[in-house]
Amino acid sequence: MIKIKNSIVFALFTFTFVSAQNTVVTPQQPIDWVNPLIGSDSDYGISNGNTYPAIAMPWGMNFWTPQTGKMGDGWAYTYKSNRIRGFKQTHQPSPWMNDYGQFSIMPVTGDLKFKEEERQSWFSHKAETVTPYYYSVYLADHNVTTEITPTERAARFRFTFPESDKSYIVIDAFDKGSYVKIIPSERKIIGYTTKNSGGVPENFKNYFVIIFDKDFQVNSTFSGDVLGNALEMKADHAGAVIGFKTKAGEKVNAQVASSFISYEQAELNLKEIGANNFDQLKEKGKEIWNKELGRIKVDGGTPDQFGTFYSSLYRSLLFPRKFYEYDKNNKVVHYSPYNGKVLSGYMFADTGFWDTFRALYPFLNLMYPELNTQMQEGLSNAFNESGWLPEWSSPGLRDIMVGNNSASIVSEAYLKSGKVKSYDIENLYKALIHGANNAGPLKAVGRAAADSYNALGYVPNDEVNESAARTLEYAYDDFAIYQLAKALNKPQSEIDLYKKRSLNYKNLFDPKYNLMHPKNKDGKFMEPFDPFQWFNGFTEGNSWHYSWSVFHDVQGLANLMGGNEVFVSQLDKVFSSPPIFATKDFKGGVIHEMREMQIANMGQYAHGNQPIQHMIYLYNYAGEPWKAQYWVRETMNRMYHATPDGYCGDEDNGQTSAWYVFSSLGFYPVTPASDQYVIGAPLFKKVTIQLENGKSITINASQNSEQNRYIQTMKMNGKVSTKNWLSHSELMKGATLDFDMSSTPNKKRGINKEDFPYSLSNE
């Protein structure tokens, strides 16, 4: 039975939701299906998404979220919590990265309580309304209802107070260096917070301004646990309290904006609200979300499928966030998270390319090429300002994860753009070459062990950790550079070099296991070795997870394994193997990704983490595409739901959501730096995609059902196609795809070599 929470605002339909698991419906407005609480039932030990409800505009500079966790806790909001400490402006991309530039606002009544442990209030999800554009909750201890509706850099709050002589609002600028100033004559509070988790210059500040519509009768500031009467406070932990008398049901409004540049810029950002009152701004936010979500219209599915699709689409439209502002002349400017200067041009932040190069950025290239142009300009600016491309930005360079996957991000955007771009692709190509041949100031910037990789053709396991993962990702990254070098007509010697390096994955293949095996400097495989053991050369996984990371040359990998039949057998073993993650010799601790694989009951297929998410689609390269169709649908059905526990691992910056969005459409970008998508199995009876260029893609699968998950035939623009792939450039011209679906696999379709997707070895 589908449980529809009161916390989700749903449109009214003419059917009953109860016991409606198999009811086929058509949504009226996409926004009404979104549940921002998806993935929020998580904690340190197990992740069902590790998300918080982001009350925000698409790619907004500032998000807002109710805060249930302690100040500084990466798990800012958890679904199981029952008390709220404040409403936080957040820039957190992940609990593991934590936050920066955060502060909170909290209404209280009765005896003045400003410390977060004392001011917190009980709440219930039954009295909580959560949408991307609007949040409301009843704070039981204070008898106050708080409402929020945001713009990209500002927001409106509306507090409904009881009759009280002691009504207050607490502004908490958090610790690690903060400042507040109350200006009663203007009903205004200004301040800044410097709290961050790294990746910022020394002069980093998030400046904020808050303007109320009611005179202050109480004006206080605090430093840590000490409350005083000063109107201004600079301290390690500064905050402000304003107070007034309220009538029963009286609504107090606040407008808030912030800036990484200055107070004056924060005031400019406040103008995003304009003359709109709360309800008008809320309606505008709803229209914006409906427009973006409505670019993909799905028909013919169950309520759970609609909810999961549009909730995943919402999560795919949050990161990377806009880290730029508009100055008094309406020019684009940004505070540089790399050198601390205020400079012209675009900047984006809060994404990890190790996760998002796989599906999130390919989705942006399909649906939002103009926005991605701005993102590419932002990357060029990042290189100019730091000397490196960020592999993980939050907001500046961070030392986490492996790979040099900026190569895929840059190359794919240019290759799929039609080459009509306003940004400096030559500067970005220079950045790729620099990053591919040098170790950076942090291990996760540039390429760790770059000299050894270039000399030996692999990263030695006795030189740097996660060596096999680095080797495999560097090889794909070299392929991306090879593709871009060809497109830019670079010297043939340079093209040949990166093509050669892209075959370096072969250097780690061990025929003894038919899997990838880390090597030492002396050319010998690392021993002892157990392909089921996590880490030991791999990143958050084992050899069964990472051996498939040959995105660009699956045929070459199959050849190493002994041909397509053996290759398929190895793929099958991923699902038939036990979900073990450690041996008696394992010395590391159990991490949440291990548990998530173990409890999913899909063998070694650890969909909750990114390295293996493309693996299902590899059956298409070896003549058994029906197995991809089976497992894609199985994963969508079992691993995703529009509920607080709706993911099966970390929902990292939209990547895991983008996997679901693509897979629902029926195709997936296994090799982002190519022109192809690999076919899976469409989920809905009909999908209409409105492209940014005015063209549309229509996907028809009228016989689709729970049982009918197999493709019997496919037509593209009326012509039968046996190919297991689709061309990006052809789709961008507009297309109609017709799928004839069945409950039994067609084992004669897509079995010939000419039907297989691109592999470098077939060039």
Side-chain angles (χ1 to χ4, degrees):
M1 182 177 76
I2 294 179
K3 298 178 181 178
I4 303 299
K5 299 289 185 183
N6 291 334
S7 58
I8 311 168
V9 179
F10 278 87
L12 296 177
F13 298 103
T14 58
F15 59 85
T16 301
F17 276 100
V18 179
S19 299
Q21 183 73 33
N22 295 313
T23 302
V24 175
V25 298
T26 300
Q28 302 303 305
Q29 294 189 92
I31 190 64
D32 296 322
W33 289 106
V34 175
N35 181 6
L37 295 176
I38 184 173
S40 62
D41 187 7
S42 303
D43 56 40
Y44 179 87
I46 196 78
S47 174
N48 292 307
N50 263 337
T51 65
Y52 55 86
I55 316 306
M57 288 295 99
W59 308 286
M61 189 178 88
N62 302 325
F63 296 175
W64 289 90
T65 193
Q67 179 192 343
T68 64
K70 294 180 180 180
M71 176 177 64
D73 189 343
W75 283 264
Y77 177 100
T78 53
Y79 188 79
K80 288 187 177 73
S81 298
N82 48 37
R83 281 176 285 187
I84 288 176
R85 300 165 182 263
F87 301 93
K88 185 171 78 158
Q89 187 189 92
T90 177
H91 305 96
Q92 178 171 297
S94 159
W96 308 107
M97 299 301 293
N98 215 301
D99 209 347
Y100 64 91
Q102 64 267 51
F103 62 94
S104 72
I105 302 173
M106 180 68 177
V108 298
T109 58
D111 292 338
L112 176 54
K113 299 173 182 178
F114 66 94
K115 302 174 189 176
E116 66 173 7
E117 293 285 347
E118 297 175 355
R119 72 183 185 231
Q120 66 180 336
S121 170
W122 283 80
F123 80 105
S124 168
H125 297 300
K126 299 177 181 66
E128 181 186 47
T129 299
V130 190
T131 77
Y133 62 90
Y134 170 73
Y135 179 85
S136 174
V137 69
Y138 175 67
L139 301 173
D141 287 327
H142 303 303
N143 194 18
V144 175
T145 295
T146 297
E147 301 170 273
I148 310 170
T149 190
T151 68
E152 288 186 348
R153 298 167 187 83
R156 287 198 71 124
F157 278 68
R158 185 164 65 188
F159 307 98
T160 302
F161 281 96
E163 182 175 359
S164 176
D165 292 338
K166 298 179 179 179
S167 294
Y168 307 98
I169 296 175
V170 179
I171 293 84
D172 192 335
F174 286 19
D175 61 2
K176 307 304 180 185
S178 50
Y179 168 81
V180 292
K181 181 179 181 180
I182 303 173
I183 309 174
S185 61
E186 300 180 39
R187 299 173 172 172
K188 181 189 295 186
I189 297 173
I190 64 172
Y192 65 73
T193 174
T194 67
K195 190 172 180 64
N196 66 85
S197 57
V200 299
E202 289 185 4
N203 67 345
F204 169 80
K205 290 183 176 69
N206 186 28
Y207 301 89
F208 59 83
V209 55
I210 310 171
I211 300 177
F212 295 86
D213 66 349
K214 187 176 178 66
D215 289 336
F216 309 158
Q217 294 178 317
V218 174
N219 301 284
S220 300
T221 56
F222 60 86
S223 172
D225 294 341
V226 179
L227 185 68
N229 295 321
L231 294 179
E232 190 173 11
M233 177 61 64
K234 181 179 180 181
D236 175 73
H237 182 186
V241 181
I242 57 162
F244 25 63
K245 296 180 180 179
T246 54
K247 300 175 183 178
E250 182 175 351
K251 299 183 188 304
V252 176
N253 288 272
Q255 299 181 51
V256 55
S258 70
S259 167
F260 295 109
I261 296 173
S262 66
Y263 294 118
E264 293 76 16
Q265 184 63 47
E267 295 271 7
L268 288 174
N269 294 343
L270 197 64
K271 293 182 179 180
E272 289 184 351
I273 294 172
N276 296 292
N277 63 29
F278 188 96
D279 291 321
Q280 290 169 333
L281 193 66
K282 172 184 170 183
E283 189 60 30
K284 285 181 178 290
K286 182 178 182 179
E287 290 173 1
I288 290 170
W289 272 109
N290 262 326
K291 176 185 175 184
E292 300 303 344
L293 296 169
R295 293 189 182 211
I296 305 180
K297 184 178 186 294
V298 297
D299 288 298
T302 67
D304 182 64
Q305 288 168 345
F306 280 125
T308 306
F309 179 84
Y310 282 113
S311 297
S312 294
L313 185 54
Y314 148 77
R315 294 288 316 176
S316 300
L317 303 181
L318 293 174
F319 297 101
R321 80 171 69 252
K322 296 175 180 177
F323 201 79
Y324 63 86
E325 307 173 50
Y326 293 93
D327 69 11
K328 62 183 179 181
N329 298 315
N330 205 35
K331 300 295 185 182
V332 175
V333 294
H334 66 271
Y335 165 82
S336 172
Y338 302 103
N339 63 24
K341 299 178 181 179
V342 177
L343 301 165
S344 62
Y346 291 104
M347 183 61 64
F348 290 79
D350 298 327
T351 188
F353 293 160
W354 182 83
D355 304 285
T356 54
F357 87 86
R358 304 164 195 269
L360 189 277
Y361 276 89
F363 178 73
L364 296 176
N365 282 312
L366 176 66
M367 298 299 300
Y368 296 95
E370 184 176 341
L371 177 68
N372 213 9
T373 296
Q374 298 172 2
M375 293 178 181
Q376 296 303 308
E377 181 184 324
L379 286 175
S380 185
N381 289 333
F383 174 60
N384 292 339
E385 294 161 25
S386 72
W388 302 89
L389 289 177
E391 302 300 332
W392 232 115
S393 63
S394 181
L397 301 176
R398 302 301 293 270
D399 196 15
I400 187 170
M401 308 313 293
V402 303
N404 179 217
N405 299 308
S406 55
S408 184
I409 302 297
V410 170
S411 299
E412 184 200 8
Y414 185 79
L415 293 166
K416 289 181 176 175
S417 70
K419 304 180 179 63
V420 180
K421 288 298 181 184
S422 58
Y423 61 87
D424 190 345
I425 186 60
E426 290 294 341
N427 191 52
L428 282 171
Y429 183 79
K430 175 184 175 184
L432 295 189
I433 299 302
H434 176 64
N437 293 284
N438 293 280
L442 305 172
K443 190 180 289 186
V445 177
R447 293 189 182 182
D451 290 343
S452 294
Y453 172 80
N454 292 345
L456 300 174
Y458 62 91
V459 175
N461 190 67
D462 48 357
E463 179 176 345
V464 66
N465 62 356
E466 302 166 282
S467 62
R470 296 179 196 275
T471 298
L472 294 170
E473 294 196 26
Y474 292 172
Y476 166 69
D477 299 330
D478 284 331
F479 169 79
I481 296 173
Y482 158 66
Q483 292 285 78
L484 183 59
K486 287 194 297 181
L488 295 177
N489 296 313
K490 294 301 177 183
Q492 191 62 46
S493 59
E494 197 159 292
I495 294 172
D496 293 342
L497 172 64
Y498 288 95
K499 181 179 182 180
K500 179 182 178 182
R501 286 187 188 176
S502 68
L503 298 174
N504 281 342
Y505 70 89
K506 296 182 178 182
N507 296 325
L508 293 190
F509 182 78
D510 186 349
K512 176 181 177 181
Y513 299 97
N514 250 357
L515 295 168
M516 298 296 173
H517 187 164
K519 270 185 182 177
N520 293 324
K521 287 181 181 179
D522 61 7
K524 296 179 180 178
F525 286 117
M526 176 201 76
E527 294 295 347
F529 177 68
D530 180 346
F532 290 98
Q533 187 166 316
W534 282 50
F535 301 107
N536 274 15
F538 299 97
T539 301
E540 295 180 0
N542 61 32
S543 184
W544 278 106
H545 305 151
Y546 245 102
S547 290
W548 315 106
S549 294
V550 186
F551 313 94
H552 56 294
D553 195 16
V554 179
Q555 187 62 62
L557 178 60
N559 294 342
L560 289 175
M561 289 186 174
N564 291 346
E565 186 175 340
V566 179
F567 179 74
V568 167
S569 175
Q570 284 291 87
L571 290 171
D572 290 343
K573 288 176 185 176
V574 170
F575 297 105
S576 62
S577 295
I580 57 177
F581 51 76
T583 69
K584 63 179 181 180
D585 297 320
F586 184 70
K587 296 181 174 60
V590 175
I591 62 173
H592 72 94
E593 287 91 350
M594 295 174 178
R595 290 292 182 210
E596 289 146 15
M597 179 193 73
Q598 181 189 41
I599 64 179
N601 192 28
M602 292 183 75
Q604 285 292 313
Y605 183 66
H607 188 80
N609 211 16
Q610 283 68 37
I612 204 170
Q613 287 180 349
H614 69 292
M615 167 259 164
I616 287 174
Y617 287 90
L618 301 190
Y619 285 107
N620 285 281
Y621 294 76
E624 297 194 22
W626 57 89
K627 290 185 177 178
Q629 295 156 27
Y630 173 84
W631 284 113
V632 165
R633 184 70 65 86
E634 195 73 5
T635 302
M636 286 192 284
N637 288 349
R638 291 169 56 180
M639 300 292 109
Y640 290 82
H641 297 284
T643 56
D645 64 345
Y647 294 112
C648 57
D650 286 351
E651 202 304 288
D652 285 310
N653 312 124
Q655 164 58 29
T656 300
S657 291
W659 185 97
Y660 186 90
V661 171
F662 265 123
S663 296
S664 298
L665 303 181
F667 52 90
Y668 185 80
V670 170
T671 315
S674 76
D675 185 57
Q676 293 184 359
Y677 302 103
V678 180
I679 293 173
L683 183 64
F684 297 97
K685 292 180 181 291
K686 184 176 182 179
V687 178
T688 305
I689 304 171
Q690 296 295 332
L691 299 174
E692 200 170 72
N693 63 8
K695 306 293 184 179
S696 64
I697 302 170
T698 302
I699 303 168
N700 298 308
S702 61
Q703 301 304 312
N704 229 337
S705 69
E706 169 63 23
Q707 294 74 31
N708 293 355
R709 64 175 66 180
Y710 297 106
I711 299 171
Q712 289 299 302
T713 61
M714 184 192 81
K715 293 180 180 178
M716 181 166 181
N717 297 331
K719 296 181 180 180
V720 174
S721 173
T722 60
K723 296 185 185 303
N724 296 333
W725 55 274
L726 300 168
S727 163
H728 171 85
S729 56
E730 289 300 310
L731 289 178
M732 294 302 286
K733 297 175 183 177
T736 298
L737 303 173
D738 295 298
F739 291 91
D740 180 17
M741 306 298 291
S742 172
S743 60
T744 57
N746 180 355
K747 296 186 178 182
K748 294 183 179 180
R749 184 193 174 278
I751 62 174
N752 298 315
K753 187 174 182 179
E754 56 267 27
D755 297 323
F756 299 172
Y758 170 87
S759 286
L760 179 61
S761 289
N762 293 332
E763 276 194 356

